[in-house]
Protein backbone atom coordinates (compact mmCIF):
# COMPACT_ATOMS: atom_id res chain seq x y z
CA UNK A 1 0.00 0.00 0.00
CA UNK A 2 2.80 2.35 0.85
CA UNK A 3 4.40 1.51 -2.49
CA UNK A 4 1.20 2.43 -4.36
CA UNK A 5 0.87 5.70 -2.51
CA UNK A 6 4.48 6.53 -3.21
CA UNK A 7 4.03 5.92 -6.95
CA UNK A 8 0.86 8.01 -7.02
CA UNK A 9 2.67 10.80 -5.21
CA UNK A 10 5.48 10.79 -7.78
CA UNK A 11 2.94 10.92 -10.65
CA UNK A 12 1.17 13.89 -9.07
CA UNK A 13 4.45 15.73 -8.75
CA UNK A 14 5.34 14.89 -12.37
CA UNK A 15 2.02 16.13 -13.79
CA UNK A 16 2.09 19.24 -11.65
CA UNK A 17 5.59 20.03 -12.85
CA UNK A 18 4.64 19.43 -16.48
CA UNK A 19 1.60 21.69 -16.15
CA UNK A 20 3.74 24.39 -14.64
CA UNK A 21 6.14 24.16 -17.57
CA UNK A 22 3.30 24.42 -20.07
CA UNK A 23 1.91 27.45 -18.30
CA UNK A 24 5.34 29.06 -18.33
CA UNK A 25 5.45 28.81 -22.15
CA UNK A 26 2.39 31.05 -22.45
CA UNK A 27 3.32 33.55 -19.76
CA UNK A 28 5.20 36.80 -20.48
CA UNK A 29 8.87 36.31 -19.60
CA UNK A 30 12.10 38.24 -20.16
CA UNK A 31 14.54 36.97 -22.77
CA UNK A 32 17.39 37.13 -20.26
CA UNK A 33 15.69 34.72 -17.84
CA UNK A 34 13.80 32.08 -19.82
CA UNK A 35 12.94 30.92 -23.34
CA UNK A 36 10.42 32.89 -25.36
CA UNK A 37 6.87 32.46 -24.08
CA UNK A 38 5.52 30.84 -27.25
CA UNK A 39 8.47 28.84 -28.55
CA UNK A 40 11.18 26.57 -27.33
CA UNK A 41 14.47 25.97 -29.09
CA UNK A 42 16.10 28.26 -31.63
CA UNK A 43 18.88 30.54 -30.44
CA UNK A 44 22.33 30.97 -31.94
CA UNK A 45 23.74 27.55 -31.15
CA UNK A 46 23.06 24.20 -32.82
CA UNK A 47 19.85 23.91 -34.77
CA UNK A 48 16.85 22.89 -32.65
CA UNK A 49 13.10 22.70 -33.07
CA UNK A 50 10.97 25.79 -32.45
CA UNK A 51 7.71 24.63 -30.89
CA UNK A 52 4.68 26.92 -31.23
CA UNK A 53 2.60 26.94 -28.03
CA UNK A 54 0.58 30.11 -28.70
CA UNK A 55 -1.58 31.19 -31.61
CA UNK A 56 -2.06 34.48 -33.45
CA UNK A 57 0.30 37.44 -33.33
CA UNK A 58 1.98 36.33 -30.10
CA UNK A 59 2.89 33.01 -31.65
CA UNK A 60 4.14 34.67 -34.84
CA UNK A 61 6.35 37.06 -32.90
CA UNK A 62 7.85 34.29 -30.83
CA UNK A 63 8.38 32.05 -33.85
CA UNK A 64 10.15 34.87 -35.66
CA UNK A 65 12.50 35.38 -32.71
CA UNK A 66 13.24 31.67 -32.64
CA UNK A 67 13.93 31.44 -36.39
CA UNK A 68 16.06 34.61 -36.59
CA UNK A 69 19.37 32.79 -36.53
CA UNK A 70 22.30 32.93 -36.88
CA UNK A 71 22.90 36.49 -35.76
CA UNK A 72 26.14 38.37 -36.37
CA UNK A 73 28.38 39.08 -33.40
CA UNK A 74 29.41 42.76 -33.23
CA UNK A 75 33.11 43.54 -33.49
CA UNK A 76 34.95 43.86 -30.23
CA UNK A 77 35.45 47.57 -29.69
CA UNK A 78 36.56 49.72 -26.83
CA UNK A 79 40.12 50.02 -28.12
CA UNK A 80 42.13 53.10 -27.29
CA UNK A 81 45.50 52.41 -28.89
CA UNK A 82 48.13 55.15 -29.09
CA UNK A 83 47.98 57.09 -32.35
CA UNK A 84 50.81 58.30 -34.60
CA UNK A 85 50.02 60.87 -37.30
CA UNK A 86 51.92 61.61 -40.53
CA UNK A 87 51.27 64.84 -42.46
CA UNK A 88 52.24 65.55 -46.07
CA UNK A 89 54.68 68.48 -46.02
CA UNK A 90 54.83 69.07 -49.77
CA UNK A 91 54.11 72.48 -51.28
CA UNK A 92 50.87 71.34 -52.88
CA UNK A 93 49.27 71.15 -49.41
CA UNK A 94 49.46 74.95 -49.13
CA UNK A 95 46.41 75.12 -51.38
CA UNK A 96 44.23 73.75 -48.57
CA UNK A 97 45.22 76.61 -46.26
CA UNK A 98 44.11 79.71 -48.12
CA UNK A 99 43.33 82.34 -45.45
CA UNK A 100 39.90 83.02 -46.96
CA UNK A 101 38.60 79.53 -46.19
CA UNK A 102 36.41 79.53 -43.06
CA UNK A 103 37.17 76.84 -40.47
CA UNK A 104 33.46 76.31 -39.88
CA UNK A 105 33.39 74.21 -43.08
CA UNK A 106 33.52 70.61 -41.88
CA UNK A 107 35.90 69.42 -44.61
CA UNK A 108 38.29 72.39 -44.42
CA UNK A 109 41.88 71.25 -43.82
CA UNK A 110 42.16 73.25 -40.61
CA UNK A 111 39.04 71.50 -39.32
CA UNK A 112 40.58 68.15 -40.23
CA UNK A 113 43.81 68.97 -38.38
CA UNK A 114 41.95 70.20 -35.32
CA UNK A 115 39.66 67.16 -35.14
CA UNK A 116 42.48 64.65 -35.55
CA UNK A 117 44.65 66.34 -32.95
CA UNK A 118 41.85 66.88 -30.41
CA UNK A 119 39.86 63.71 -31.12
CA UNK A 120 42.74 61.23 -31.36
CA UNK A 121 45.34 62.92 -29.10
CA UNK A 122 48.31 61.50 -31.06
CA UNK A 123 51.30 60.46 -29.01
CA UNK A 124 53.72 61.00 -31.92
CA UNK A 125 53.80 63.06 -35.09
CA UNK A 126 55.81 63.06 -38.31
CA UNK A 127 55.90 65.04 -41.52
CA UNK A 128 56.84 63.39 -44.82
CA UNK A 129 57.97 64.99 -48.04
CA UNK A 130 61.61 64.96 -49.06
CA UNK A 131 62.28 63.09 -45.82
CA UNK A 132 60.54 61.87 -42.67
CA UNK A 133 60.84 64.30 -39.74
CA UNK A 134 59.52 64.30 -36.19
CA UNK A 135 57.08 67.15 -35.47
CA UNK A 136 54.84 68.37 -32.70
CA UNK A 137 51.34 67.60 -34.03
CA UNK A 138 49.56 70.85 -33.16
CA UNK A 139 47.21 73.15 -35.04
CA UNK A 140 49.75 75.96 -34.71
CA UNK A 141 52.34 73.90 -36.57
CA UNK A 142 50.16 72.15 -39.14
CA UNK A 143 47.87 75.12 -39.80
CA UNK A 144 50.78 77.33 -40.91
CA UNK A 145 51.12 77.54 -44.71
CA UNK A 146 54.88 78.11 -44.40
CA UNK A 147 55.23 74.60 -42.97
CA UNK A 148 54.50 73.10 -46.42
CA UNK A 149 57.60 73.72 -48.53
CA UNK A 150 58.94 70.33 -49.67
CA UNK A 151 59.11 69.61 -53.40
CA UNK A 152 58.49 65.89 -53.15
CA UNK A 153 56.00 63.57 -51.41
CA UNK A 154 57.77 60.38 -50.46
CA UNK A 155 54.90 58.58 -48.81
CA UNK A 156 57.02 55.44 -48.71
CA UNK A 157 59.03 56.95 -45.83
CA UNK A 158 55.88 57.04 -43.70
CA UNK A 159 55.03 53.47 -44.74
CA UNK A 160 58.46 52.25 -43.64
CA UNK A 161 57.92 53.81 -40.20
CA UNK A 162 54.47 52.19 -39.91
CA UNK A 163 55.95 48.84 -40.95
CA UNK A 164 58.19 48.93 -37.88
CA UNK A 165 55.08 48.46 -35.74
CA UNK A 166 55.17 44.71 -36.39
CA UNK A 167 52.68 43.90 -33.61
CA UNK A 168 50.08 46.47 -34.70
CA UNK A 169 50.04 47.96 -31.22
CA UNK A 170 49.29 51.53 -32.37
CA UNK A 171 47.03 53.18 -34.96
CA UNK A 172 48.74 55.20 -37.71
CA UNK A 173 47.04 57.95 -39.75
CA UNK A 174 48.59 59.44 -42.92
CA UNK A 175 47.12 62.77 -44.10
CA UNK A 176 47.85 64.20 -47.56
CA UNK A 177 46.61 64.87 -51.07
CA UNK A 178 47.89 61.61 -52.56
CA UNK A 179 49.56 63.34 -55.50
CA UNK A 180 52.99 62.45 -56.88
CA UNK A 181 55.24 63.99 -59.52
CA UNK A 182 54.96 61.10 -61.99
CA UNK A 183 52.54 58.26 -62.85
CA UNK A 184 55.17 55.68 -61.89
CA UNK A 185 55.53 57.20 -58.43
CA UNK A 186 51.76 57.43 -58.05
CA UNK A 187 51.24 53.77 -58.89
CA UNK A 188 54.15 52.65 -56.73
CA UNK A 189 53.00 54.47 -53.59
CA UNK A 190 49.54 52.90 -53.67
CA UNK A 191 50.85 49.42 -54.47
CA UNK A 192 53.22 49.67 -51.53
CA UNK A 193 50.44 50.98 -49.30
CA UNK A 194 48.21 48.07 -50.34
CA UNK A 195 50.92 45.52 -49.58
CA UNK A 196 51.44 47.00 -46.12
CA UNK A 197 47.66 47.08 -45.58
CA UNK A 198 47.41 43.37 -46.46
CA UNK A 199 50.09 42.50 -43.90
CA UNK A 200 48.45 44.76 -41.32
CA UNK A 201 45.06 43.11 -41.85
CA UNK A 202 46.57 39.62 -41.65
CA UNK A 203 47.93 40.66 -38.25
CA UNK A 204 44.44 41.47 -36.96
CA UNK A 205 44.18 45.20 -37.72
CA UNK A 206 42.13 47.09 -40.27
CA UNK A 207 42.73 49.66 -43.00
CA UNK A 208 40.67 52.83 -43.40
CA UNK A 209 40.53 55.56 -46.03
CA UNK A 210 38.68 58.83 -45.56
CA UNK A 211 38.43 61.46 -48.28
CA UNK A 212 36.74 64.73 -49.20
CA UNK A 213 36.74 67.32 -51.90
CA UNK A 214 38.13 69.99 -49.57
CA UNK A 215 38.33 73.76 -50.19
CA UNK A 216 41.49 74.45 -52.21
CA UNK A 217 43.29 77.14 -54.19
CA UNK A 218 45.77 76.16 -56.89
CA UNK A 219 49.43 76.51 -55.89
CA UNK A 220 50.97 78.07 -58.99
CA UNK A 221 54.53 77.08 -58.06
CA UNK A 222 53.66 73.37 -57.77
CA UNK A 223 53.26 71.81 -61.24
CA UNK A 224 52.14 68.41 -59.89
CA UNK A 225 49.50 69.81 -57.51
CA UNK A 226 45.75 69.68 -57.96
CA UNK A 227 44.21 72.36 -60.19
CA UNK A 228 41.21 73.12 -62.33
CA UNK A 229 41.22 72.48 -66.04
CA UNK A 230 41.80 75.57 -68.17
CA UNK A 231 38.18 75.55 -69.29
CA UNK A 232 36.86 74.94 -65.81
CA UNK A 233 38.80 77.83 -64.30
CA UNK A 234 36.89 80.32 -66.42
CA UNK A 235 33.40 78.80 -66.41
CA UNK A 236 32.88 76.97 -63.10
CA UNK A 237 31.05 79.20 -60.60
CA UNK A 238 31.56 76.76 -57.73
CA UNK A 239 34.41 77.24 -55.23
CA UNK A 240 37.47 75.18 -56.07
CA UNK A 241 37.96 71.87 -54.24
CA UNK A 242 40.54 69.09 -54.42
CA UNK A 243 40.85 65.60 -52.90
CA UNK A 244 42.20 65.37 -49.36
CA UNK A 245 42.85 61.94 -47.82
CA UNK A 246 43.49 60.17 -44.55
CA UNK A 247 44.91 56.64 -44.82
CA UNK A 248 44.76 54.70 -41.57
CA UNK A 249 46.41 51.51 -40.35
CA UNK A 250 44.20 50.80 -37.35
CA UNK A 251 45.02 48.67 -34.33
CA UNK A 252 42.69 45.79 -33.51
CA UNK A 253 39.63 46.97 -31.56
CA UNK A 254 40.22 50.63 -32.42
CA UNK A 255 38.20 50.74 -35.64
CA UNK A 256 34.97 52.28 -34.34
CA UNK A 257 36.81 55.14 -32.63
CA UNK A 258 38.97 55.96 -35.65
CA UNK A 259 36.06 55.69 -38.11
CA UNK A 260 33.86 57.96 -35.99
CA UNK A 261 36.62 60.57 -35.75
CA UNK A 262 37.38 60.59 -39.49
CA UNK A 263 33.68 60.59 -40.44
CA UNK A 264 33.25 63.83 -38.51
CA UNK A 265 35.53 65.79 -40.90
CA UNK A 266 35.55 63.78 -44.16
CA UNK A 267 32.77 63.22 -46.68
CA UNK A 268 33.55 59.56 -47.36
CA UNK A 269 34.94 56.63 -45.36
CA UNK A 270 35.97 53.11 -46.43
CA UNK A 271 37.10 50.38 -44.04
CA UNK A 272 38.57 46.95 -44.76
CA UNK A 273 37.80 44.42 -43.46
CA UNK A 274 34.35 45.93 -43.28
CA UNK A 275 33.24 46.05 -39.63
CA UNK A 276 30.03 44.40 -38.52
CA UNK A 277 27.39 47.05 -37.91
CA UNK A 278 25.78 46.38 -34.50
CA UNK A 279 22.38 44.76 -35.16
CA UNK A 280 20.46 47.26 -33.06
CA UNK A 281 21.82 50.07 -35.27
CA UNK A 282 20.04 48.79 -38.40
CA UNK A 283 16.75 50.11 -39.70
CA UNK A 284 14.47 49.65 -42.73
CA UNK A 285 12.53 52.80 -43.61
CA UNK A 286 9.71 52.88 -46.22
CA UNK A 287 10.15 55.62 -48.80
CA UNK A 288 6.41 56.36 -48.88
CA UNK A 289 5.08 56.46 -45.33
CA UNK A 290 1.52 57.01 -46.62
CA UNK A 291 1.24 53.68 -48.43
CA UNK A 292 -1.28 51.37 -46.74
CA UNK A 293 -1.44 48.53 -49.26
CA UNK A 294 2.07 47.39 -48.23
CA UNK A 295 2.78 47.91 -44.54
CA UNK A 296 6.28 47.84 -43.07
CA UNK A 297 6.52 47.24 -39.33
CA UNK A 298 10.12 48.21 -38.77
CA UNK A 299 10.62 46.96 -35.20
CA UNK A 300 8.08 44.16 -35.25
CA UNK A 301 10.36 41.76 -33.37
CA UNK A 302 13.92 41.54 -32.15
CA UNK A 303 16.13 38.46 -32.10
CA UNK A 304 18.14 37.35 -29.07
CA UNK A 305 21.12 39.63 -29.76
CA UNK A 306 19.10 42.60 -30.94
CA UNK A 307 18.88 41.89 -34.69
CA UNK A 308 15.72 43.51 -36.09
CA UNK A 309 12.95 41.36 -37.55
CA UNK A 310 10.85 43.47 -39.91
CA UNK A 311 7.30 42.51 -40.87
CA UNK A 312 5.95 43.24 -44.38
CA UNK A 313 2.28 42.53 -45.05
CA UNK A 314 -0.93 43.88 -46.55
CA UNK A 315 -4.66 43.19 -46.63
CA UNK A 316 -4.70 42.24 -50.30
CA UNK A 317 -2.19 41.28 -52.96
CA UNK A 318 -0.31 43.94 -54.92
CA UNK A 319 2.64 43.93 -57.31
CA UNK A 320 3.15 47.68 -56.92
CA UNK A 321 6.49 47.77 -55.14
CA UNK A 322 7.17 49.86 -52.06
CA UNK A 323 10.76 51.03 -51.77
CA UNK A 324 12.48 50.97 -48.39
CA UNK A 325 15.95 52.21 -47.51
CA UNK A 326 18.45 50.36 -45.31
CA UNK A 327 19.80 52.79 -42.76
CA UNK A 328 21.69 53.23 -39.52
CA UNK A 329 18.95 54.14 -37.06
CA UNK A 330 20.74 56.56 -34.73
CA UNK A 331 23.11 59.09 -36.26
CA UNK A 332 22.88 61.49 -33.32
CA UNK A 333 26.06 59.97 -31.84
CA UNK A 334 29.60 60.00 -33.22
CA UNK A 335 29.60 56.20 -33.28
CA UNK A 336 26.32 56.09 -35.20
CA UNK A 337 27.57 58.61 -37.75
CA UNK A 338 30.70 56.52 -38.13
CA UNK A 339 28.70 53.38 -38.91
CA UNK A 340 26.51 55.33 -41.33
CA UNK A 341 29.61 56.54 -43.17
CA UNK A 342 31.03 53.01 -43.31
CA UNK A 343 27.76 51.65 -44.75
CA UNK A 344 27.52 54.46 -47.31
CA UNK A 345 31.16 54.10 -48.36
CA UNK A 346 31.24 50.36 -49.08
CA UNK A 347 30.04 48.80 -52.34
CA UNK A 348 27.53 46.23 -51.15
CA UNK A 349 25.89 43.19 -52.68
CA UNK A 350 22.47 42.49 -51.11
CA UNK A 351 22.09 38.73 -50.75
CA UNK A 352 18.78 37.18 -49.74
CA UNK A 353 17.89 33.80 -48.28
CA UNK A 354 14.57 32.35 -47.18
CA UNK A 355 12.94 29.50 -45.36
CA UNK A 356 9.40 28.58 -44.38
CA UNK A 357 7.84 30.36 -41.45
CA UNK A 358 7.15 27.17 -39.52
CA UNK A 359 8.60 25.67 -36.33
CA UNK A 360 10.31 22.87 -38.27
CA UNK A 361 12.29 25.41 -40.32
CA UNK A 362 14.71 25.85 -37.40
CA UNK A 363 16.42 22.62 -38.49
CA UNK A 364 16.57 23.63 -42.17
CA UNK A 365 19.23 25.58 -44.04
CA UNK A 366 18.52 29.00 -45.48
CA UNK A 367 18.00 28.81 -49.26
CA UNK A 368 19.24 31.50 -51.67
CA UNK A 369 16.43 33.57 -53.18
CA UNK A 370 16.10 34.70 -56.77
CA UNK A 371 14.94 38.31 -56.83
CA UNK A 372 12.43 37.70 -59.61
CA UNK A 373 9.05 36.84 -58.13
CA UNK A 374 10.18 37.24 -54.52
CA UNK A 375 8.30 39.38 -52.02
CA UNK A 376 11.58 41.07 -51.05
CA UNK A 377 13.96 42.24 -53.80
CA UNK A 378 17.14 44.33 -53.88
CA UNK A 379 16.28 47.83 -55.05
CA UNK A 380 18.27 50.48 -56.88
CA UNK A 381 20.45 52.79 -54.82
CA UNK A 382 18.78 56.10 -54.03
CA UNK A 383 20.06 59.41 -55.40
CA UNK A 384 22.11 59.93 -52.26
CA UNK A 385 23.55 56.41 -52.53
CA UNK A 386 21.50 54.63 -49.87
CA UNK A 387 20.82 50.91 -50.24
CA UNK A 388 17.20 49.95 -50.76
CA UNK A 389 14.75 47.06 -51.03
CA UNK A 390 11.59 46.69 -53.12
CA UNK A 391 8.67 45.14 -51.22
CA UNK A 392 5.36 43.59 -52.34
CA UNK A 393 2.67 41.55 -50.61
CA UNK A 394 0.41 38.63 -51.52
CA UNK A 395 -2.23 39.66 -48.99
CA UNK A 396 -3.42 38.67 -45.55
CA UNK A 397 -4.28 35.03 -46.33
CA UNK A 398 -1.13 34.20 -48.28
CA UNK A 399 1.62 31.86 -47.04
CA UNK A 400 4.23 33.51 -44.83
CA UNK A 401 7.97 33.34 -45.55
CA UNK A 402 10.98 34.44 -43.57
CA UNK A 403 13.91 36.18 -45.28
CA UNK A 404 17.48 36.72 -44.17
CA UNK A 405 19.10 39.81 -45.69
CA UNK A 406 22.92 39.90 -45.78
CA UNK A 407 24.83 43.01 -46.83
CA UNK A 408 28.03 41.65 -48.36
CA UNK A 409 30.99 44.05 -48.74
CA UNK A 410 32.48 44.29 -52.22
CA UNK A 411 36.00 45.37 -51.28
CA UNK A 412 35.85 48.78 -53.01
CA UNK A 413 34.37 52.16 -52.10
CA UNK A 414 31.24 53.60 -53.66
CA UNK A 415 33.10 56.87 -54.29
CA UNK A 416 36.13 55.45 -56.14
CA UNK A 417 35.21 56.71 -59.64
CA UNK A 418 34.86 60.24 -58.29
CA UNK A 419 38.47 60.24 -57.00
CA UNK A 420 40.47 57.79 -59.14
CA UNK A 421 42.15 59.34 -62.22
CA UNK A 422 41.74 57.39 -65.46
CA UNK A 423 44.93 58.75 -66.99
CA UNK A 424 47.88 61.04 -66.31
CA UNK A 425 46.19 64.08 -67.84
CA UNK A 426 43.71 64.32 -64.97
CA UNK A 427 44.63 67.44 -62.96
CA UNK A 428 41.99 66.91 -60.27
CA UNK A 429 41.67 63.24 -59.39
CA UNK A 430 44.33 60.94 -57.93
CA UNK A 431 46.37 58.72 -60.22
CA UNK A 432 46.92 55.14 -59.00
CA UNK A 433 44.32 55.24 -56.22
CA UNK A 434 42.44 52.25 -57.60
CA UNK A 435 45.50 50.05 -57.03
CA UNK A 436 44.75 50.16 -53.30
CA UNK A 437 41.64 48.03 -53.57
CA UNK A 438 42.74 45.18 -55.84
CA UNK A 439 43.45 42.70 -53.04
CA UNK A 440 40.36 43.79 -51.09
CA UNK A 441 38.17 43.04 -54.10
CA UNK A 442 39.84 39.65 -54.46
CA UNK A 443 39.14 38.78 -50.84
CA UNK A 444 35.52 39.82 -51.25
CA UNK A 445 35.07 37.83 -54.46
CA UNK A 446 36.58 34.74 -52.83
CA UNK A 447 33.95 34.84 -50.10
CA UNK A 448 36.53 35.60 -47.42
CA UNK A 449 34.60 38.59 -46.06
CA UNK A 450 31.76 38.20 -43.54
CA UNK A 451 28.58 40.25 -43.94
CA UNK A 452 28.71 43.93 -43.13
CA UNK A 453 25.20 43.64 -41.66
CA UNK A 454 22.30 41.23 -41.35
CA UNK A 455 18.61 41.47 -40.53
CA UNK A 456 15.44 39.43 -41.04
CA UNK A 457 12.06 40.04 -42.68
CA UNK A 458 8.81 38.12 -42.25
CA UNK A 459 6.60 38.68 -45.30
CA UNK A 460 3.32 37.46 -46.73
Amino acid sequence: MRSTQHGLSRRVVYYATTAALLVSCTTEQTAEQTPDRATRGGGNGAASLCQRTAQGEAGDLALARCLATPELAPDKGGGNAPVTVYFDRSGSMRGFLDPSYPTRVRTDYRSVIDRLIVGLAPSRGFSYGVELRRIEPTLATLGNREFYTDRDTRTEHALVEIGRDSTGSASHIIVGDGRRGSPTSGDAQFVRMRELADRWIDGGGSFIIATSLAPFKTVATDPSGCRRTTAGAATDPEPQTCPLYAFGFVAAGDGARIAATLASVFEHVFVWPAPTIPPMQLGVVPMDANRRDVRVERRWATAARGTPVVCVRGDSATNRTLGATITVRDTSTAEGRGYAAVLAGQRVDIRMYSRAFTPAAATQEWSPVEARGALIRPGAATQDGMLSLDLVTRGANAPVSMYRIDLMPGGAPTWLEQFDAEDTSDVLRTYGLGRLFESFRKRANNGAAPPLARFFIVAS
Side-chain angles (χ1 to χ4, degrees):
M1 187 72 176
R2 291 182 60 186
S3 175
T4 304
Q5 289 176 340
H6 182 66
L8 177 61
S9 175
R10 293 182 63 182
R11 287 195 295 273
V12 169
V13 171
Y14 171 81
Y15 291 132
T17 303
T18 303
L21 288 172
L22 289 173
V23 169
S24 73
C25 289
T26 57
T27 303
E28 190 68 45
Q29 299 166 350
T30 61
E32 292 81 9
Q33 295 173 334
T34 55
D36 192 283
R37 66 176 183 173
T39 62
R40 294 190 295 274
N44 287 278
S48 57
L49 187 64
C50 297
Q51 299 179 6
R52 182 191 289 270
T53 59
Q55 299 302 314
E57 187 80 354
D60 289 344
L61 287 166
L63 180 59
R65 287 190 284 266
C66 186
L67 293 176
T69 60
E71 297 183 71
L72 299 178
D75 297 327
K76 293 182 179 179
N80 194 26
V83 174
T84 301
V85 291
Y86 308 78
F87 283 84
D88 181 354
R89 197 169 186 157
S90 64
S92 61
M93 295 294 291
R94 295 164 66 95
F96 293 109
L97 288 168
D98 190 277
S100 64
Y101 294 144
T103 56
R104 66 178 179 269
V105 176
R106 178 173 70 98
T107 57
D108 176 77
Y109 184 41
R110 292 184 186 87
S111 299
V112 171
I113 297 168
D114 185 55
R115 187 70 187 108
L116 294 186
I117 300 306
V118 174
L120 298 180
S123 57
R124 295 194 306 158
F126 293 89
S127 67
Y128 64 97
V130 174
E131 61 182 350
L132 191 71
R133 285 168 275 190
R134 287 292 297 264
I135 61 168
E136 285 296 324
T138 65
L139 182 58
T141 298
L142 297 166
N144 183 357
R145 294 181 82 235
E146 302 310 314
F147 176 80
Y148 303 91
T149 57
D150 283 10
R151 292 187 173 274
D152 201 352
T153 311
R154 297 178 181 174
T155 313
E156 54 270 22
H157 291 168
L159 299 177
V160 168
E161 180 65 25
I162 295 170
R164 292 193 176 102
D165 183 6
S166 58
T167 61
S169 59
S171 292
H172 303 263
I173 310 296
I174 301 173
V175 180
D177 62 6
R179 300 190 72 84
R180 296 299 293 268
S182 71
T184 301
S185 299
D187 261 346
Q189 77 171 352
F190 287 117
V191 168
R192 190 161 185 175
M193 189 179 292
R194 182 192 70 214
E195 291 170 349
L196 179 58
D198 285 336
R199 294 196 299 272
W200 189 270
I201 291 166
D202 290 340
S206 60
F207 182 66
I208 185 168
I209 306 169
T211 186
S212 294
L213 290 176
F216 187 85
K217 186 174 182 180
T218 298
V219 180
T221 58
D222 185 6
S224 64
C226 175
R227 62 193 66 244
R228 280 177 166 162
T229 62
T230 304
T235 61
D236 192 349
E238 294 297 322
Q240 184 180 2
T241 59
C242 281
L244 179 67
Y245 298 94
F247 305 97
F249 298 80
V250 182
D254 212 16
R257 179 175 75 108
I258 301 296
T261 300
L262 294 180
S264 67
V265 285
F266 284 93
E267 295 171 336
H268 308 287
V269 173
F270 172 87
V271 183
W272 193 263
T276 299
I277 297 176
M280 295 184 70
Q281 286 275 15
L282 287 172
V284 176
V285 181
M287 297 180 190
D288 184 353
N290 296 320
R291 288 276 299 272
R292 293 293 179 265
D293 54 339
V294 182
R295 299 192 299 277
V296 179
E297 298 171 48
R298 295 183 277 171
R299 305 297 293 180
W300 182 64
T302 304
R305 291 179 179 168
T307 304
V309 182
V310 179
C311 183
V312 176
R313 52 186 164 185
D315 295 329
S316 58
T318 178
N319 286 322
R320 182 185 167 214
T321 59
L322 172 64
T325 56
I326 302 170
T327 66
V328 172
R329 295 179 63 220
D330 183 7
T331 56
S332 64
T333 65
E335 182 182 47
R337 289 189 292 273
Y339 283 120
V342 168
L343 179 60
Q346 180 79 229
R347 285 185 184 172
V348 169
D349 178 25
I350 299 177
R351 296 185 188 173
M352 304 188 307
Y353 305 84
S354 72
R355 60 187 181 187
F357 191 63
T358 65
T363 62
Q364 300 168 1
E365 295 293 329
W366 291 92
S367 299
V369 173
E370 292 288 340
R372 184 177 180 180
L375 298 177
I376 314 297
R377 309 162 194 171
T382 64
Q383 288 187 346
D384 54 359
M386 297 180 70
L387 298 171
S388 73
L389 298 171
D390 288 336
L391 316 173
V392 296
T393 179
R394 297 194 188 101
N397 298 319
V400 180
S401 296
M402 189 162 187
Y403 293 83
R404 190 185 91 201
I405 312 298
D406 285 357
L407 306 184
M408 301 302 298
T414 54
W415 42 262
L416 182 57
E417 291 181 1
Q418 184 183 3
F419 288 83
D420 187 24
E422 294 182 358
D423 55 54
T424 58
S425 65
D426 196 319
V427 295
L428 173 64
R429 294 181 292 183
T430 309
Y431 189 80
L433 181 65
R435 298 283 191 187
L436 260 179
F437 307 98
E438 291 175 354
S439 61
F440 305 158
R441 287 194 190 98
K442 184 177 180 180
R443 294 184 189 219
N445 292 336
N446 289 342
L452 174 66
R454 171 177 292 167
F455 59 95
F456 300 91
I457 297 178
V458 172
S460 61

